[in-house]
């Protein structure tokens, strides 16, 4: 048994050497991978207590915790806390040379459960989160990357059913409570879940007794940040994220004036300290607006991405401009829609110089008003996959600027034949490494 364990250790070390021959610091010393100043030591079955103490003494531990007693399978295991200045890798080397030690290894950091148990994912409906032509978000989840509640996204759309059971933990303005006061001092009273610019009030969910009001805003929100791993409904690209509504679409659409207000609302929140990485803009129409261009430029200056739908008329945005996705600003990302077979959706607008990449936009299941779930088609559905990817990347790379996040998204796009010559990247969203 001992020989088998040693053989396994050798294989592990050999493969590590192959994986990262030029790493600046050994993986054992990477604080993102292993607890700093801690090593696990497994002693041989035959070792005496005195021999084990002598072995541990090689690294002068400041504390020793028993992890396993070593009765039955394997010898005793201890967790040694190292004195300051002793690296994990040096301690492992020193301990490994002692005959009482079977193995010494880093105390690897493991992360929470990372396989979605959300029924729409497990039954295959949520193809946009998976492999194949999906966003590969599930691969990022498998690496323990499921988003962060300290990364915020503005949803400029209809309102959001913030009380939806798959969203209620992820929608809130942390600086605001419902008390009749403007707690965060941004000029809006009780904007706990965002602001309704269509109606000039703080009720961002108005899904009343008729129609499908707030379905669309709730749907895109679920794709960005539906609560994953809770055994319910769907999972968003981010299981944890902060969503806020900039509601400006009502039953009859919205206006440019209200869109400008909504964009500026998030810019102001960012300037006041709320860490917003992006706004999602699954809407379009109308002509060029200098006022809207200037608002998006202000968002750019505030380091906020503006992720926009390419549009659903099947036309070429290079020849017939579509707004807001065509605004030529560094923070804009324009998104086309693909189906689960990787084809450009028949309705999706495209543009070799004006549309950046494709993302899942056909048969997309997500949250809808009245605590429901439904499937929708559109570049509206593709866009929040990309916005979600921006938030996921930011969660794993907290110091990245908006433009670095954009670069990461475009750089990771997977070449896709249906998007060749029809998008800037010629590829589709791939968040697997985020
Ligand atoms: Ca406020
Ligand atoms: Ca308040
Ligand atoms: Ca309202
Ligand atoms: Ca869920």
């Amino acid at each position: 048994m001992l020989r088998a364990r040693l053989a396994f250790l050798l294989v592990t070390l050999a493969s590590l050497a192959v994986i990262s021959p030029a790493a600046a610091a050994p993986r054992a010393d990477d604080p993102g991978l292993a607890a700093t100043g801690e090593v696990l030591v497994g002693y041989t079955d035959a070792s005496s207590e005195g021999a084990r103490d002598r072995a541990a003494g090689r690294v002068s531990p400041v504390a020793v915790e028993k992890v396993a007693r070593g009765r039955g399978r394997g010898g005793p295991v201890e967790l040694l806390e190292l004195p300051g200045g002793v690296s994990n890798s040096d301690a492992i080397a020193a301990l490994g040379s002692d005959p009482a030690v079977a193995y010494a290894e880093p105390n690897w950091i493991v992360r929470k459960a990372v396989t979605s148990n959300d029924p729409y994912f497990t039954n295959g409906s949520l193809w946009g989160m998976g492999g194949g032509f999906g966003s590969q978000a599930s691969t990022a989840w498998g690496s323990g990357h499921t988003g962060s509640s300290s990364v915020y996204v503005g949803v400029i759309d209809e309102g959001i059913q913030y009380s939806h059971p798959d969203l209620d933990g992820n929608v809130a303005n942390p600086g605001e409570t419902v008390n009749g006061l403007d707690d965060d001092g941004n000029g809006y009273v009780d904007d706990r879940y965002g602001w309704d610019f269509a109606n000039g009030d703080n009720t961002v969910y108005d899904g009343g007794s008729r129609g499908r009001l707030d379905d669309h805003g709730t749907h895109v929100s679920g794709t960005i940040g539906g609560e994953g791993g809770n055994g319910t409904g769907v999972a968003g690209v981010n299981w944890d994220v902060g969503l806020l509504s900039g509601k400006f679409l009502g039953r009859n659409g919205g206006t440019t004036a209200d869109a400008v207000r909504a964009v500026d609302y998030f810019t102001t929140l960012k300037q006041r300290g709320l860490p917003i990485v992006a706004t999602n803009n699954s809407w379009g129409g109308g002509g060029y607006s200098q006022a809207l261009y200037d608002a998006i430029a202000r968002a750019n200056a505030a380091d906020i991405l503006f992720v926009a739908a390419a549009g659903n008329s099947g036309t070429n945005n290079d020849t017939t401009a579509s707004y807001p996705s065509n605004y030529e600003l560094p923070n804009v990302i324009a998104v086309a829609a693909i189906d689960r077979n990787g084809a450009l959706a028949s309705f999706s607008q495209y543009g070799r110089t004006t549309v950046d990449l494709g993302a899942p936009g056909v048969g997309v299941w997500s949250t809808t008003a009245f605590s429901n779930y439904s499937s929708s088609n559109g570049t509206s559905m593709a866009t929040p996959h990309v916005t979600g990817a921006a938030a996921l990347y930011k969660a794993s790379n907290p110091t990245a600027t908006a433009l670095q996040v954009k670069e990461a998204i475009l750089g990771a796009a997977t070449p896709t034949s249906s998007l060749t010559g029809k998008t800037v990247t010629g590829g589709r969203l791939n968040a697997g490494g985020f």
Side-chain angles (χ1 to χ4, degrees):
M1 191 168 72
L2 177 58
R3 191 184 301 151
R5 193 189 299 135
L6 285 171
F8 172 75
L9 182 67
L10 289 172
V11 168
T12 306
L13 290 172
S15 56
L16 284 182
V18 169
I19 290 166
S20 52
R27 287 160 52 92
D29 297 326
D30 183 338
L33 296 175
T36 301
E38 293 183 4
V39 292
L40 278 172
V41 186
Y43 299 98
T44 61
D45 288 326
S47 62
S48 67
E49 190 169 349
R52 295 195 290 269
D53 287 348
R54 196 181 55 244
R58 288 173 179 265
V59 296
S60 309
V62 296
V64 177
E65 279 178 41
K66 292 224 181 309
V67 175
R69 298 167 64 99
R71 292 184 185 147
R73 199 177 168 80
V77 180
E78 290 177 344
L79 179 65
L80 306 187
E81 191 183 324
L82 305 174
V86 177
S87 71
N88 292 352
S89 52
D90 285 349
I92 288 166
L95 291 162
S97 65
D98 192 288
V101 172
Y103 61 88
E105 61 188 20
N107 192 19
W108 298 118
I109 295 168
V110 296
R111 295 183 171 82
K112 64 188 172 184
V114 288
T115 305
S116 165
N117 59 4
D118 305 87
Y120 284 89
F121 182 78
T122 55
N123 74 12
S125 299
L126 218 53
W127 72 271
M129 298 297 158
F133 292 95
S135 66
Q136 318 288 326
S138 59
T139 300
W141 304 341
S143 306
H145 298 163
T146 53
S148 163
S149 56
S150 55
V151 172
Y152 284 79
V153 169
V155 178
I156 300 178
D157 205 286
E158 291 183 334
I160 306 172
Q161 190 205 341
Y162 51 82
S163 57
H164 193 293
D166 245 355
L167 289 170
D168 57 0
N170 285 351
V171 187
N173 174 359
E176 191 70 42
T177 54
V178 180
N179 57 2
L181 303 171
D182 178 17
D183 300 283
D184 62 358
N186 66 344
Y188 296 95
V189 173
D190 290 351
D191 54 328
R192 173 69 179 161
Y193 307 103
W195 193 260
D196 176 351
F197 294 93
N199 301 296
D201 60 40
N202 59 21
T203 55
V204 299
Y205 178 53
D206 297 301
S209 55
R210 66 194 176 90
R212 293 168 56 86
L213 189 64
D214 296 327
D215 265 354
H216 191 269
T218 303
H219 199 281
V220 304
S221 297
T223 298
I224 298 165
E227 292 163 26
N230 63 351
T232 298
V234 296
V237 174
N238 302 271
W239 297 7
D240 294 300
V241 67
L243 298 168
L244 278 176
S245 171
K247 176 172 180 171
F248 86 109
L249 298 175
R251 292 185 199 281
N252 302 309
T255 66
T256 299
D258 286 337
V260 168
R261 292 187 180 104
V263 173
D264 280 341
Y265 171 73
F266 292 112
T267 299
T268 303
L269 280 173
K270 178 79 180 272
Q271 288 164 340
R272 300 180 66 85
L274 194 69
I276 297 170
V277 64
T279 59
N280 188 85
N281 298 275
S282 291
W283 49 277
Y288 179 91
S289 160
Q290 189 64 46
L292 186 52
Y293 176 96
D294 290 344
I296 299 168
R298 288 190 288 275
N300 181 60
D303 206 38
I304 301 174
L305 291 172
F306 185 93
V307 188
N312 297 335
S313 300
T315 49
N316 183 349
N317 289 356
D318 288 0
T319 51
T320 307
S322 175
Y323 298 105
S325 72
N326 266 59
Y327 287 119
E328 289 183 33
L329 286 161
N331 59 332
V332 174
I333 303 178
V335 185
I338 59 171
D339 68 18
R340 68 187 306 159
N341 299 313
L344 181 68
S346 57
F347 56 77
S348 181
Q349 288 167 229
Y350 57 90
R352 191 177 61 78
T353 64
T354 54
V355 176
D356 292 295
L357 78 170
V362 179
V364 175
W365 283 89
S366 188
T367 48
T368 42
F370 299 104
S371 303
N372 285 327
Y373 299 90
S374 64
S375 170
S376 292
N377 305 326
T379 53
S380 281
M381 283 64 238
T383 303
H385 283 91
V386 174
T387 306
L392 190 64
Y393 186 84
K394 182 72 173 179
S396 304
N397 301 274
T399 60
T401 64
L403 296 187
Q404 286 168 341
V405 174
K406 176 178 177 176
E407 221 172 79
I409 290 170
L410 301 191
T414 304
T416 304
S417 56
S418 69
L419 298 164
T420 304
K422 299 223 164 171
T423 55
V424 174
T425 61
R428 65 181 188 276
L429 178 65
N430 178 358
F434 293 5

